[in-house]
Amino acid sequence: MPATLFRFPSHSYLTISSSLNPKPPQTPKHTPSSNPTIANNPEFSLSLKQPLSQSDAAVKMPTAPWMNGPLLLPPHEALDLSKPNSKKNLNNARVEKSDKALTEKIGVRGERAVNKIVRSIEKLRMNDDSDETQKDSGKFGFGDCLEQLGEDDWSRYGRKMPWERDVGFALRRMKKEKAVTEAELRLDKALLERLRVEAAKMRRWVKVKKAGVTQGVVDEIKTIWRRNELAMLKFDIPLCKNLDRAREIVKIKTGGLVVWSKKDTLVVYRGCSYQPTSKNILKTRARLAGSQAAPYYETGLPKWERNYEVSLTSSNENGVDEKMCRSEGEGANLPPGISSKGDLNYQPVSGSLYVRETERLLDGLGPRFLDWWMDKPLPVDADLLPEVVPGYRPPFRLCPPRARAKLTNDELTYLRKLAHPLPTHFVLGKNRKLQGLSASILKLWEKSLIVKIALKWGVPNMNNEEVALELKHLTGGVLLLRNKFLIILYRGKDFLPCRVANLIAERETELKKYQLHEEGARVKAIEAVCMDNGLTANTSLSGTLSESKYIQTEFSDLEKGNTEVEIKLEAEKQRLERELREQERKLFILNIKIDKSMKELSKLTGGWAPTEMDADREMITEEERECFQKIGLKMDRCLVLGRRGVFDGVIEGLHQHWKYREVVKVITKQRLFQQVVYTAKFLEAESGGVLVSVKKLKEGHAIILYRGKNYRRPLKRVPENLLTKREALQKSLEMQRIGSLKFFAYQRQQAIMDLKCKLEDLQQSKSIYQRD
């Protein structure tokens, strides 16, 4: 091993020992005899005996103050301090940092904690002399000791161990228990497992579209059940978002059991004793039902299409086996869209309080919608309500005293928030003939302020705007919300229940009777007085009920041609004058804003003093101009002018460019060429350079400036006579504001002139009509 390898570790050892001890030890001289390791090394002794050449002579390096002897290193290991090396300095810094980390003192708090731990462990070992601890000595470790220590010794002082953390109480998320399906309860385990394996292999399904599980879907399912015991259904929106409800609908309409589900797919099992309904039974039931449409098998359909016909009856004959059916076989499978009072509306209500109250609210309004795609309660199917109600008319309304029927914005927002958590009351799938729905809405408004109507999915030509307008006309309510999914109606402040409206109508009729009786008594009294005084019966009728009726009957038949024309002319004149006053008021406001903006702009331009163009400018030749133009256009670096225009930062940027190059390219996005030329001359005057050219580019206009042959950097690169960046932005905004205000003021002036012309024409036509 060479000698240099022994000197370096000895030096590092001395450095570490000196940092640990305040008094450094005396270092031995660097001789082979003083170091036994070096003396006993034959390689080292041979290297010392060999003569050293002048090129391999050791270099004397600076030593630490506590070192007595010199430090000699070979030339290739000596450091050249005249050329600092960043990598070596970085390595030295890392070594010093690691030495400092090893030798620096432990913090007071950490040292105290360690001492307390050691004392507590010693006390525990001295007191723990029982047999159990000796038996369990192999199992008792340092971690158990610290746990016991933390429980006994540290708990006395109400403190925790240094490594213990304050862990808050956290509730773990419990896994949702998987609900037991009806198929698992009714089918054998082996049969269910076999059906699920077969269901996972199925690759053909029946598409359930937006309209839901319609009769056509039921027909396809039963057609598949003739050949296979399983049928796969793939649901589209909205049922794909609520497969639990889809299970219920499929069970009610087909009588099968769902044995497998994945994402938006269900597989339905027909049952062990399934038997398809014969065609004769279909014909008989179709005749009994008096159906107008001919059955599928009576039409001229091909043979492969006739196989898809199914019965419209319930699934009592073709349901599942006796183990599966239980009590649902009697009335669970109903025709789509039909619900009788004996099966659905009067079935025992179960569920949460929300569901029970909603069921109680909707009782008696109409049949329920079985294909409802959301959770229960089921809304009322508005399509099954009567289209025309004999004698129906919009309800009588009367607003309370000192109240307005119109809703304010705050009230409208509050009612919309109130309607959000409410259940859906009706489901609608048609645009016209909604008198039955309107009658049910009026009945519901006696219990609830708001009615929510959902629109059916997949119904062609459904127009929610037309539906909302017709319901608003039939009920007189206030429309809160209308979109392609919902229509929400508020009954209004002037809504009166049926009983209250009838009472008010009765009171009105009684009041009219009393008025007539009073008028008759007054006329008799006047006649009696006239007979006693011998006066004629030509008494005044002013202010009486007879006068008002006389005016209404006598003057209602007069020709109203002239009066109607005059009234129309006067109304048009009043409208034009009112609009003219409104336009003049707006013009006055605009003029005030323009004056205010002009004052702000004058304040900003007050501190702006542009430099005048120097008469003794530097001249360049045409050849130099062309050369500088080509150089400037080829430059990638440029200075871009924004909406602020020229301010002090732009001039500073020019001088910064001129520090490294002679030509600078300035890009401006001004549209008018006159503004671009003005900007170029302004830059030339403020910077003191020479304008080379102005060229049109894709990005905008390029202004090429040459710094000049006698260019010197100014002492102050930021000029004081220009605006700052903030002030330049404010100036740009004020100029834009003034331009917009002047444009709108011009529009108001034109509108005022047009209104004055219309008034003059109206006055002339009125005078001509009066002459005629």
Side-chain angles (χ1 to χ4, degrees):
M1 182 178 288
T4 56
L5 296 178
F6 290 93
R7 290 174 184 172
F8 180 74
S10 63
H11 174 63
S12 62
Y13 171 75
L14 292 174
T15 306
I16 297 173
S17 63
S18 63
S19 63
L20 290 172
N21 301 325
K23 293 182 180 181
Q26 295 181 358
T27 57
K29 295 182 180 180
H30 294 276
T31 58
S33 61
S34 61
N35 194 344
T37 307
I38 299 174
N40 296 330
N41 194 345
E43 296 180 0
F44 183 77
S45 61
L46 290 174
S47 63
L48 290 176
K49 290 178 183 180
Q50 294 177 359
L52 298 173
S53 63
Q54 188 175 359
S55 61
D56 295 338
V59 180
K60 186 178 180 180
M61 297 298 295
T63 58
W66 59 81
M67 297 178 65
N68 296 330
L71 180 62
L72 301 176
L73 292 175
H76 66 276
E77 292 188 3
L79 297 175
D80 190 1
L81 301 178
S82 62
K83 297 180 180 179
N85 191 353
S86 60
K87 293 183 179 180
K88 291 184 178 181
N89 294 338
L90 182 61
N91 294 333
N92 294 337
R94 290 176 179 173
V95 172
E96 291 177 1
K97 187 175 181 181
S98 62
D99 294 344
K100 185 178 179 181
L102 289 172
T103 58
E104 66 180 357
K105 293 183 178 180
I106 302 173
V108 178
R109 184 177 179 184
E111 187 176 359
R112 289 178 181 174
V114 172
N115 292 336
K116 288 183 179 181
I117 292 170
V118 173
R119 290 185 208 137
S120 301
I121 293 173
E122 290 177 355
K123 289 181 181 179
L124 185 63
R125 288 180 179 176
M126 292 172 63
N127 297 331
D128 193 6
D129 53 353
S130 61
D131 297 338
E132 295 180 358
T133 54
Q134 291 178 2
K135 292 179 182 179
D136 301 336
S137 59
K139 300 180 181 179
F140 189 77
F142 183 71
D144 300 332
C145 177
L146 293 181
E147 291 179 1
Q148 186 68 22
L149 172 64
E151 294 176 358
D152 298 340
D153 189 51
W154 285 73
S155 60
R156 299 174 188 173
Y157 304 100
R159 290 183 293 176
K160 296 181 179 180
M161 301 295 285
W163 54 82
E164 291 184 354
R165 296 180 181 178
D166 294 333
V167 181
F169 180 73
L171 289 173
R172 291 188 177 182
R173 194 171 183 179
M174 301 296 293
K175 289 186 178 180
K176 187 177 180 181
E177 295 183 0
K178 188 177 180 181
V180 181
T181 61
E182 191 174 358
E184 293 176 353
L185 295 175
R186 297 188 176 186
L187 298 178
D188 296 338
K189 189 174 182 181
L191 176 61
L192 182 61
E193 189 67 24
R194 181 183 65 81
L195 293 174
R196 286 179 175 176
V197 171
E198 292 180 2
K201 297 178 182 179
M202 295 180 69
R203 294 296 179 269
R204 293 184 179 181
W205 59 80
V206 177
K207 185 68 174 179
V208 181
K209 299 181 180 180
K210 294 181 180 180
V213 186
T214 59
Q215 187 61 38
V217 175
V218 176
D219 296 348
E220 291 188 26
I221 293 171
K222 293 184 179 180
T223 304
I224 294 172
W225 277 351
R226 291 182 179 181
R227 302 185 303 270
N228 192 1
E229 59 183 356
L230 295 177
M232 179 179 283
L233 305 178
K234 195 165 187 178
F235 292 88
D236 197 356
I237 54 175
L239 278 176
C240 65
K241 299 179 180 179
N242 192 354
L243 281 185
D244 293 336
R245 182 59 193 158
R247 287 170 181 264
E248 297 178 7
I249 295 173
V250 169
K251 177 188 171 184
I252 290 173
K253 291 199 171 185
T254 63
L257 278 180
V258 178
V259 296
W260 186 81
S261 64
K262 184 179 180 182
K263 292 183 179 179
D264 57 347
T265 307
L266 296 179
V267 176
V268 188
Y269 175 53
R270 68 181 183 181
C272 299
S273 59
Y274 174 78
Q275 294 180 359
T277 308
S278 62
K279 296 182 180 180
N280 296 328
I281 297 176
L282 287 175
K283 290 181 181 180
T284 306
R285 295 193 176 181
R287 291 168 187 169
L288 292 175
S291 60
Q292 299 177 359
Y296 293 112
Y297 49 84
E298 292 181 0
T299 59
L301 296 176
K303 186 176 181 180
W304 64 272
E305 290 188 8
R306 295 175 191 172
N307 295 332
Y308 285 93
E309 94 267 36
V310 289
S311 64
L312 300 177
T313 60
S314 61
S315 62
N316 292 333
E317 294 85 10
N318 53 10
V320 293
D321 54 354
E322 296 179 357
K323 296 181 180 179
M324 296 169 54
C325 288
R326 291 187 182 177
S327 60
E328 293 94 59
E330 298 178 1
N333 305 314
L334 300 173
I338 299 175
S339 61
S340 61
K341 294 183 179 180
D343 50 14
L344 188 61
N345 292 343
Y346 289 91
Q347 58 180 318
V349 180
S350 61
S352 62
L353 179 63
Y354 176 80
V355 175
R356 295 198 301 270
E357 288 296 322
T358 308
E359 293 285 350
R360 184 182 60 82
L361 187 67
L362 298 179
D363 281 344
L365 296 180
R368 303 299 175 85
F369 181 60
L370 295 180
D371 291 333
W372 179 235
W373 52 85
M374 296 179 69
D375 295 332
K376 291 184 178 180
L378 302 180
V380 176
D381 193 353
D383 294 344
L384 299 180
L385 296 174
E387 296 180 352
V388 178
V389 178
Y392 178 82
R393 59 181 179 178
F396 175 74
R397 290 179 173 270
L398 183 64
C399 195
R402 294 183 297 276
R404 297 180 63 185
K406 188 176 180 180
L407 293 177
T408 61
N409 292 335
D410 295 338
E411 291 174 345
L412 185 64
T413 305
Y414 170 74
L415 289 172
R416 284 178 178 172
K417 290 181 179 179
L418 186 66
H420 181 70
L422 293 180
T424 305
H425 303 114
F426 298 94
V427 181
L428 182 63
K430 59 182 179 180
N431 296 332
R432 302 179 62 187
K433 298 181 179 180
L434 306 176
Q435 288 189 3
L437 175 60
S438 302
S440 299
I441 289 173
L442 295 177
K443 188 176 180 181
L444 182 60
W445 270 345
E446 296 181 1
K447 303 176 184 178
S448 175
L449 296 175
I450 298 170
V451 169
K452 289 179 72 172
I453 305 170
L455 302 180
K456 291 182 179 180
W457 290 71
V459 179
N461 302 326
M462 191 68 184
N463 190 350
N464 52 26
E465 184 178 2
E466 184 179 351
V467 172
L469 289 176
E470 186 167 356
L471 288 176
K472 188 177 178 181
H473 172 70
L474 291 173
T475 61
V478 180
L479 183 64
L480 297 181
L481 180 66
R482 175 186 63 82
N483 53 33
K484 62 181 181 179
F485 305 111
L486 276 177
I487 294 175
I488 301 178
L489 291 172
Y490 170 56
R491 68 181 186 180
K493 300 178 183 178
D494 54 352
F495 174 76
L496 296 175
C498 183
R499 294 181 181 179
V500 179
N502 294 334
L503 289 175
I504 291 175
E506 292 176 1
R507 294 292 299 272
E508 288 290 336
T509 54
E510 291 179 1
L511 182 60
K512 289 181 180 180
K513 288 181 181 180
Y514 288 136
Q515 286 179 351
L516 293 174
H517 181 70
E518 182 182 353
E519 183 67 19
R522 191 179 69 82
V523 170
K524 290 180 181 179
I526 290 173
E527 290 178 354
V529 172
C530 292
M531 293 294 294
D532 294 341
N533 297 333
L535 299 176
T536 59
N538 296 329
T539 57
S540 177
L541 300 176
S542 61
T544 62
L545 182 63
S546 302
E547 182 185 11
S548 62
K549 289 184 177 181
Y550 175 76
I551 291 173
Q552 291 176 2
T553 55
E554 294 293 332
F555 295 95
S556 61
D557 298 333
L558 295 177
E559 295 183 358
K560 300 179 181 178
N562 297 339
T563 56
E564 287 182 0
V565 173
E566 291 179 358
I567 289 172
K568 287 181 180 179
L569 291 174
E570 189 67 24
E572 183 68 17
K573 181 181 177 181
Q574 293 292 333
R575 187 187 67 80
L576 292 175
E577 289 178 352
R578 183 171 61 254
E579 190 174 353
L580 179 63
R581 289 193 298 270
E582 184 67 20
Q583 294 292 339
E584 289 177 349
R585 184 185 67 83
K586 291 181 179 179
L587 179 62
F588 177 74
I589 295 172
L590 287 173
N591 290 330
I592 292 175
K593 291 182 179 180
I594 290 172
D595 295 338
K596 186 178 179 181
S597 297
M598 292 294 292
K599 289 179 182 179
E600 293 291 334
L601 186 60
S602 62
K603 288 181 183 179
L604 292 172
T605 55
W608 180 48
T611 306
E612 296 181 358
M613 185 70 71
D614 191 4
D616 187 13
R617 292 181 295 171
E618 185 176 351
M619 304 295 291
I620 58 176
T621 62
E622 292 296 330
E623 290 82 3
E624 291 176 340
R625 189 180 298 275
E626 291 181 3
C627 180
F628 289 143
Q629 178 179 341
K630 291 180 180 179
I631 293 172
L633 292 176
K634 289 182 181 180
M635 291 173 60
D636 293 333
R637 298 183 179 273
C638 62
L639 189 66
V640 182
L641 290 182
R643 66 174 300 167
R644 295 177 177 84
V646 181
F647 57 97
D648 54 359
V650 176
I651 306 301
E652 183 184 1
L654 285 175
H655 289 294
Q656 198 69 21
H657 276 269
W658 282 339
K659 181 179 179 181
Y660 302 101
R661 53 188 70 87
E662 294 181 336
V663 181
V664 62
K665 181 170 68 172
V666 181
I667 302 294
T668 177
K669 296 186 178 181
Q670 294 174 339
R671 296 181 179 179
L672 296 178
F673 188 73
Q674 297 177 356
Q675 295 179 353
V676 177
V677 173
Y678 173 77
T679 304
K681 292 182 179 180
F682 186 74
L683 286 172
E684 183 183 11
E686 292 294 336
S687 62
V690 181
L691 178 62
V692 177
S693 65
V694 178
K695 289 293 181 180
K696 180 72 173 68
L697 302 178
K698 292 182 180 180
E699 301 85 5
H701 289 83
I703 303 172
I704 311 298
L705 292 172
Y706 171 55
R707 69 180 183 181
K709 299 175 183 177
N710 301 323
Y711 172 73
R712 289 183 179 180
R713 287 175 60 82
L715 298 177
K716 294 182 179 180
R717 289 179 294 174
V718 181
E720 297 180 354
N721 60 331
L722 297 180
L723 299 176
T724 62
K725 187 175 182 180
R726 186 186 296 262
E727 292 174 348
L729 179 60
Q730 292 179 358
K731 179 185 174 183
S732 175
L733 291 173
E734 290 297 334
M735 292 178 65
Q736 183 181 3
R737 185 179 293 111
I738 289 171
S740 301
L741 291 173
K742 286 184 177 180
F743 172 74
F744 290 123
Y746 174 75
Q747 286 186 339
R748 299 300 177 193
Q749 290 175 359
Q750 293 293 329
I752 289 171
M753 292 176 62
D754 294 341
L755 289 173
K756 287 182 179 179
C757 293
K758 288 181 180 180
L759 278 173
E760 290 178 0
D761 296 342
L762 187 64
Q763 192 69 26
Q764 290 178 2
S765 61
K766 187 176 180 181
S767 60
I768 292 171
Y769 178 76
Q770 288 178 355
R771 291 174 188 174
D772 296 341

